[in-house]
Amino acid sequence: MLINLSNIKKVYPGSKDPVIEGLNLAIKEGSFTVLLGPSGCGKTTLLRMIAGLESVTGGSISLEGENITNMEPGDRNLAMVFQNYAIYPHMTVKGNIEFGLKNYQMTKQQREERIKLVMELTGLTGFENRMPNQLSGGQRQRVALARAISKSPKAFLMDEPLSNLDAKLRNQMRSELIQLYNKMGTTFIYVTHDQTEALTMATDIVVMKDGKIMQYDTPENVYSNPANVFVAQFIGDPGMDVFQTTDDQFIGFKPRALTTEPVAEGVSFDANLLTTEYLGYDYQMTFEVPGKGTLVMRNKKKMTSGEAYRLSVPLEDLYYFDRDQNRCEPFPITGLKEVFHADK
Amino acid sequence: MNSAYKRRKVLKLIGRIIECLLLIALIMVFILPFYWTLITSVKSMWEAVENPPTWWPREFHWENYATVWNEQNFLKYAKNSIITTFGASIIQLVSSTMAAYAFARLRFKGKKTLFFISLADIMIPAQVIFLPIFIIYSRLGILNTYLSYFLIYIYSGSTIFFLRNAFMQVPEELVEAARLDGASEFSIIFRVLLPSVKSFMITQIMLILISKWNGYFWIQVLTTNDHIRTLPLLLNSILARVEGLVIRYDLAMATNVLIMAPMLLYIIVFSIRGFVLALQCKARRIPLLGKLIIIQFDYFYTFS
Ligand SMILES: Nc1ncnc2c1ncn2[C@@H]1O[C@H](COP(=O)(O)OP(=O)(O)OP(=O)(O)O)[C@@H](O)[C@H]1O
Ligand SMILES: [Mg+2]
């Protein structure tokens, strides 16, 4: 394990309620770990505590077995890439990278070599003497990356580093980050609330909600084997439809598992089609199940709004959750009470 | 349509002319005291006090400058001016910078209260506190020393306030990035924060230097002899002197010109471009005018 968080608690000064409480997490060496969760769930707080920029109210953090809970950020040998780049506006590209290296007492020659290397790695060669205001957003982000890489840190911490870029550039930088990760093999801890980013880049995903870890697993498992109703509804585009059963347990299914064909075994119910949206690859239909609420369906076939349908889900596509909303063994379905939405 | 276009053009031209005239009038208002100072400084002792005043000296008495320069104490006063100006300015800047950094960037108990107390300095005029300070310094036996003058400026509420606001404009992430880069607090202040607010700092430094150079009140309060007295006090003593029934305005104005010389030189060197633009009525920003106004205010404040 590279980083171990045990029983972490965080209370911001001036507020009573903890943002994070009793959190345990072990981040694997060499992993690309993504912290994923809705806005305000404490991802940034957690990352900043690892970096040392935020104090820890309770619990401890260790890095390679060493307790770093109260260590200065500059002594942890971690590098961070910020959402708004945070490159020094009054220094050239080269100066930005050199600033940190100087603080670590490198000789001039060592610095030059290191700078040359990271400039090549991030495709910035030739931009050494540019000022940050002469660079595009993507190039600035690359400078921030180059600065982080130059320190050869034990881990890279990134807080939504791509969210200030336009969609096209974001995709490009995403694939560059993956390449960089593959090349270097250093641990990445990456915060995002964008699940596409999480699923495409991560080797491990930590799904968080209200300062708690809901699931810590591979992208495949988070997507196909959600541990609870929250993850089931949060992951996926869109997330699962979930029914509360008459005995207060839950069943869920992916919107693409819904069908208008009769099924041999499974659940079926009547629903009125409210809206149909064309999304390119397929259509998204929103249904109202009379007296139970609304749910969505994804299908390649266009369906006409305002009509009534009988919808079914095959048995093998059903996910079962117990009264505490945790995944459980299949149970006999007594009846459907209402459509359930985990609060986001 | 064509005539409407023409009319618009004519109106625009008239507007332009009025604008230029106003600007010229404004310049005159600010230039006039300087002009008066300059010509009086080379008039004869008698012409300087003539009423109505002459607009051009009948004869040029350049020797007024020599007289002032050779005044026993001119060089001593000039030396004192330089030492007090730079010493006090550096002390004020360094201490205020560090205090402003703490107020802008550090978390500590009692920060709000302390900041409020430090702001009180802006609201309490020097005239209210000079007497206790005089008594304390006199008991400490440090009157007539540079130290006494520097101590006055070891702390400045207004500089702390302005610098704190400037520092708060700098994104927090920049400081945090530096912290992760292993920078010390000093390195963060002097190599990250200050350079990020460079243009603001230059303005502050200018204002502080000018106010010290023209400073009169505290030197007057803290001295009983001319050991550390500065040029504005020399001017005062010349004005207080009466020769043959007249005040030597010619010498006083020559002294004045010498006092203003460094500032005027600065303005001339750095603002020729702005001045040319102003003359062409093209000035968006008129740095020269701005600086003249600053000096004027200080000038009147000092001698009124
Ligand atoms: N400096 C602070 N002082 C007080 N409360 C804070 C502070 N910073 C964050 N919080 C609170 O802590 C909680 C978690 O915030 P955090 O920034 O970690 O969320 P996040 O998961 O990063 O959200 P987002 O996706 O919107 O960035 C929020 O409820 C927020 O209001
Ligand atoms: Mg965040």
Side-chain angles (χ1 to χ4, degrees), chain B residues 117-133:
Chain B
I117 293 173
S118 77
L119 286 189
D121 176 54
I122 302 175
M123 294 171 242
I124 301 172
Q127 284 77 358
V128 173
I129 52 167
F130 83 91
L131 205 59
I133 288 186

Side-chain angles (χ1 to χ4, degrees), chain A residues 16-227:
Chain A
K16 284 200 310 276
D17 303 318
V19 174
I20 292 173
E21 197 167 17
L23 182 142
N24 292 292
L25 177 66
I27 293 166
K28 295 180 212 125
E29 174 123 42
S31 67
F32 196 126
T33 302
V34 170
L35 307 180
L36 177 66
S39 186
C41 72
K43 309 177 292 288
T44 299
T45 306
L46 190 61
L47 193 76
R48 288 167 55 83
M49 286 194 291
I50 297 174
L53 297 173
E54 204 67 67
S55 65
V56 180
T57 315
S60 67
I61 305 174
S62 70
L63 174 65
E64 288 182 335
E66 186 188 0
N67 185 346
I68 59 161
T69 318
N70 296 312
M71 193 186 266
E72 287 294 316
D75 298 334
R76 299 185 182 206
N77 203 2
L78 300 170
M80 187 148 168
V81 177
F82 295 85
Q83 183 175 350
N84 62 2
Y85 323 130
I87 50 181
Y88 311 119
H90 53 284
M91 298 180 196
T92 60
V93 170
K94 194 176 156 190
N96 260 279
I97 300 168
E98 209 167 15
F99 181 76
L101 301 182
K102 274 185 187 156
N103 290 331
Y104 290 111
Q105 261 93 48
M106 275 195 184
T107 66
K108 175 97 183 139
Q109 201 199 336
Q110 283 173 319
R111 293 203 300 264
E112 292 291 332
E113 274 167 21
R114 188 67 71 81
I115 289 166
K116 191 158 173 281
L117 197 77
V118 297
M119 297 298 263
E120 275 165 19
L121 210 54
T122 49
L124 280 170
T125 313
F127 290 93
E128 286 84 352
N129 296 318
R130 291 269 192 103
M131 294 305 282
N133 61 10
Q134 302 170 310
L135 297 175
S136 71
Q139 287 165 337
R140 281 179 214 191
Q141 194 55 280
R142 262 174 245 251
V143 176
L145 274 175
R147 182 174 67 184
I149 297 168
S150 71
K151 299 200 288 178
S152 358
K154 290 184 180 147
F156 292 104
L157 313 178
M158 308 196 175
D159 192 354
E160 313 209 14
L162 306 184
S163 57
N164 276 3
L165 304 176
D166 64 50
K168 198 167 161 226
L169 202 55
R170 195 179 315 152
N171 286 340
Q172 187 192 333
M173 287 298 286
R174 196 162 68 200
S175 92
E176 280 185 32
L177 271 179
I178 297 173
Q179 287 174 37
L180 213 57
Y181 166 68
N182 290 337
K183 244 186 261 179
M184 298 192 299
T186 314
T187 312
F188 278 54
I189 306 172
Y190 188 104
V191 164
T192 182
H193 58 244
D194 178 344
Q195 51 169 306
T196 318
E197 257 175 43
L199 292 170
T200 50
M201 302 169 91
T203 61
D204 299 85
I205 294 181
V206 181
V207 185
M208 293 176 65
K209 179 201 174 198
D210 298 337
K212 292 188 187 62
I213 295 177
M214 302 306 282
Q215 186 167 1
Y216 176 27
D217 218 326
T218 60
E220 290 79 2
N221 276 338
V222 165
Y223 186 83
S224 311
N225 271 315

Side-chain angles (χ1 to χ4, degrees), chain B residues 9 31 56 142 188 205 240-241 246 260:
Chain B
K9 259 202 124 164
I31 292 276
W56 190 250
I142 56 170
I188 290 173
I205 292 172
R241 206 167 357 173
V246 298
M260 288 191 299

